Amino acid sequence: MDKISMKTDIYLGQGTLDRLMEWRDRRIFVVTDPFMIKSGMINMLFERLDDSNEQYIFSKIVPDPPIEVVTEGVETLGEFQADLIIAIGGGSAIDAAKAMKLFAYKILNLQEIQFVAIPTTSGTGSEVTSFSVISDKEKNIKYPLVDDHMLPQEAILDPELVKSVPDFITADTGMDVLTHAIEAFVSIKANDISDALAEKAMKLVFKYLPRAYQNGNDLEAREKMHNASCLAGMAFNITSLGLNHGIAHVAGAKFKIPHGRMNSLLLPYVIEFNADYKPGYGKEESNKTAARYAELSKSIGLSAPNAKSGVRSLVQAIKQLQKQLQMPQTLRECGVEEDLFETMKVEIAEGALQDGCTATNPRVPAASDIVEILNKMYRT
Ligand SMILES: NC(=O)c1ccc[n+]([C@@H]2O[C@H](COP(=O)([O-])OP(=O)(O)OC[C@H]3O[C@@H](n4cnc5c(N)ncnc54)[C@H](O)[C@@H]3O)[C@@H](O)[C@H]2O)c1
Ligand SMILES: [Fe+2]
């Protein structure tokens, strides 16, 4: 039985940061990263908070937030006796705040904390999902957490906040959006509602990501990408993700590659794997997935006279987009040494099989399939 709940109120468009003016008499725990402080962008938040509020700023968030930072955040949150968390930053700040809220509830029994998420990148869709990804930096492992308690009450999508994102981060995070949309569309849990969200997100990415990359001040492109990120988040909150994210979580942590870039490197090869016919993998199933990819191709105006050529068109369009965004197309180009890659690949394949995202992939992979995908991604 499918059930879809939309718990988060979404304020979208230019000027929506003004929504913050409506919070009064709160003890606000602000979770952010050092960039927001150094750049002065955090003042956009403080200018809008009423004097009746008390604030504590926790700004120790780093990309791929580690467990220790989350633990420190939980303690501080408890001591400060916050009744509202505002997470402002990229996916890392929002994910860290979500994990803090969850552990404050489980460990400190803090039940009534409200939560507002304000993304400053257009990538993870974390502002509307029950997912959070936390890292163990010593073991180089990422742990995806899934719990509805982490869903924000409110998300504020103001494109003004993304104008300062540098082009290469725009590219990485934009490809994360595309991967969310495509994985949601072919997930074994996909339905008509998630399809609509994923398809629209994908259309927006192909149309507006190159523009946002070329000119960060193109506010229309920024706004569309911010909405695309949220739409893709809503889609995969229904369907979960797939093998692409399963591998990216493990490989990204091992090779220290940003999340969106890792997804982008894998995407063509995971699509080819999912759509491929191999002995032992039912032809009908593979054709069904291939036909789904072809549907996506058609929706962005690519040639797809049959499923096979639809898949080929989609893969080519993704590679073309990567070139437009001047992104690496192999892991080798990212500077990963061949010896390290060879030592790690079986461990990565085994880790990816255990990752929760892999469970909703349309094709069940064996470790050897994942090694093959990794080999192609390393040097194709
Ligand atoms: N919760 C989910 O559903 C979900 C989904 C996908 C990925 N993730 C996780 O999210 C994290 C990645 O998040 P991300 O891709 O948004 O990157 P990020 O939050 O790690 O930020 C990347 C960099 O961009 C900078 N930055 C952020 N906003 C900026 C701005 N407006 N201007 C200039 N610089 C800015 C940050 O300071 C940081 O250096 C990873 O840990 C990933 O595993 C979570
Ligand atoms: Fe992602």
Side-chain angles (χ1 to χ4, degrees), residues 220-341:
E220 187 194 19
R222 288 296 199 189
E223 181 167 343
K224 296 291 185 186
M225 278 307 299
H226 225 29
N227 294 346
S229 169
C230 184
L231 282 163
M234 289 162 91
F236 84 79
N237 204 41
I238 298 170
T239 59
S240 185
L241 291 161
L243 180 60
N244 210 108
H245 269 77
I247 304 176
H249 286 149
V250 191
K254 298 275 183 237
F255 298 132
K256 304 198 170 29
I257 305 232
H259 176 73
R261 196 174 311 165
M262 194 72 236
N263 273 325
S264 167
L265 289 166
L266 286 160
L267 193 54
Y269 308 108
V270 171
I271 292 175
E272 282 172 355
F273 167 74
N274 283 341
D276 190 22
Y277 169 70
K278 286 257 169 68
Y281 177 51
K283 194 168 171 50
E284 201 184 301
E285 275 170 292
S286 66
N287 284 347
K288 225 165 80 185
T289 307
R292 294 285 285 159
Y293 288 128
E295 263 184 68
L296 284 178
S297 283
K298 276 193 205 143
S299 77
I300 49 167
L302 301 174
S303 157
N306 56 52
K308 209 170 168 187
S309 53
V311 174
R312 209 178 308 124
S313 300
L314 183 62
V315 168
Q316 275 167 4
I318 292 166
K319 290 187 176 172
Q320 183 58 34
L321 182 61
Q322 290 169 335
K323 282 194 187 132
Q324 267 179 294
L325 305 175
Q326 297 174 291
M327 295 184 82
Q329 292 188 299
T330 63
L331 194 58
R332 196 204 292 265
E333 281 174 68
C334 298
V336 173
E337 298 289 340
E338 189 149 10
D339 285 355
L340 179 70
F341 172 74

Side-chain angles (χ1 to χ4, degrees), residues 123-124 133 175-177 179-180 183 236 241 245 249 259-260 263:
T124 68
V133 186
M175 291 306 281
D176 193 22
V177 178
T179 313
H180 295 156
E183 292 218 281
F236 84 79
L241 291 161
H245 269 77
H249 286 149
H259 176 73
N263 273 325

Side-chain angles (χ1 to χ4, degrees), residues 43-324:
N43 293 330
M44 292 171 81
L45 181 130
F46 293 132
E47 282 159 10
R48 288 166 173 83
L49 288 177
D50 188 87
D51 286 346
S52 63
N53 298 297
E54 293 284 329
Q55 293 118 33
Y56 185 97
I57 305 147
F58 187 91
S59 62
K60 295 187 179 169
I61 307 303
V62 290
D64 302 324
I67 298 164
E68 299 76 31
V69 171
V70 172
T71 312
E72 189 182 333
V74 174
E75 279 167 21
T76 321
L77 178 69
E79 281 160 19
F80 179 63
Q81 298 188 321
D83 55 17
L84 171 65
I85 298 174
I86 297 182
I88 180 163
S92 296
I94 299 176
D95 276 13
K98 284 163 112 173
M100 288 173 199
K101 181 170 189 283
L102 180 66
F103 294 130
Y105 170 62
K106 293 207 162 164
I107 301 166
L108 306 176
N109 200 26
L110 298 178
Q111 304 206 9
E112 302 300 329
I113 304 180
Q114 288 187 291
F115 183 20
V116 176
I118 310 176
T120 63
T121 58
S122 305
T124 68
S126 184
E127 66 277 7
V128 287
T129 73
S130 312
F131 293 76
S132 164
V133 186
I134 300 304
S135 297
D136 182 330
K137 299 261 179 189
E138 253 173 47
K139 294 188 188 149
N140 290 334
I141 297 174
K142 281 188 171 187
Y143 296 106
L145 309 171
V146 190
D147 196 307
D148 283 350
H149 189 79
M150 297 190 292
L151 267 172
Q153 270 80 46
E154 283 187 12
I156 298 177
L157 305 180
D158 193 329
E160 275 294 331
L161 293 164
V162 246
K163 277 187 354 194
S164 54
V165 177
D167 58 2
F168 68 99
I169 297 180
T170 301
D172 290 345
T173 48
M175 291 306 281
D176 193 22
V177 178
L178 183 62
T179 313
H180 295 156
I182 294 177
E183 292 218 281
F185 198 78
V186 298
S187 158
I188 57 168
K189 285 166 77 183
N191 58 36
D192 286 343
I193 313 286
S194 59
D195 281 2
L197 297 162
E199 198 182 305
K200 180 67 183 179
M202 192 182 91
K203 281 186 187 164
L204 290 173
V205 171
F206 274 101
K207 188 162 175 194
Y208 292 102
L209 179 55
R211 267 175 58 180
Y213 173 78
Q214 275 148 23
N215 175 11
N217 288 315
D218 179 340
L219 212 54
E220 187 194 19
R222 288 296 199 189
E223 181 167 343
K224 296 291 185 186
M225 278 307 299
H226 225 29
N227 294 346
S229 169
C230 184
L231 282 163
M234 289 162 91
F236 84 79
N237 204 41
I238 298 170
T239 59
S240 185
L241 291 161
L243 180 60
N244 210 108
H245 269 77
I247 304 176
H249 286 149
V250 191
K254 298 275 183 237
F255 298 132
K256 304 198 170 29
I257 305 232
H259 176 73
R261 196 174 311 165
M262 194 72 236
N263 273 325
S264 167
L265 289 166
L266 286 160
L267 193 54
Y269 308 108
V270 171
I271 292 175
E272 282 172 355
F273 167 74
N274 283 341
D276 190 22
Y277 169 70
K278 286 257 169 68
Y281 177 51
K283 194 168 171 50
E284 201 184 301
E285 275 170 292
S286 66
N287 284 347
K288 225 165 80 185
T289 307
R292 294 285 285 159
Y293 288 128
E295 263 184 68
L296 284 178
S297 283
K298 276 193 205 143
S299 77
I300 49 167
L302 301 174
S303 157
N306 56 52
K308 209 170 168 187
S309 53
V311 174
R312 209 178 308 124
S313 300
L314 183 62
V315 168
Q316 275 167 4
I318 292 166
K319 290 187 176 172
Q320 183 58 34
L321 182 61
Q322 290 169 335
K323 282 194 187 132
Q324 267 179 294

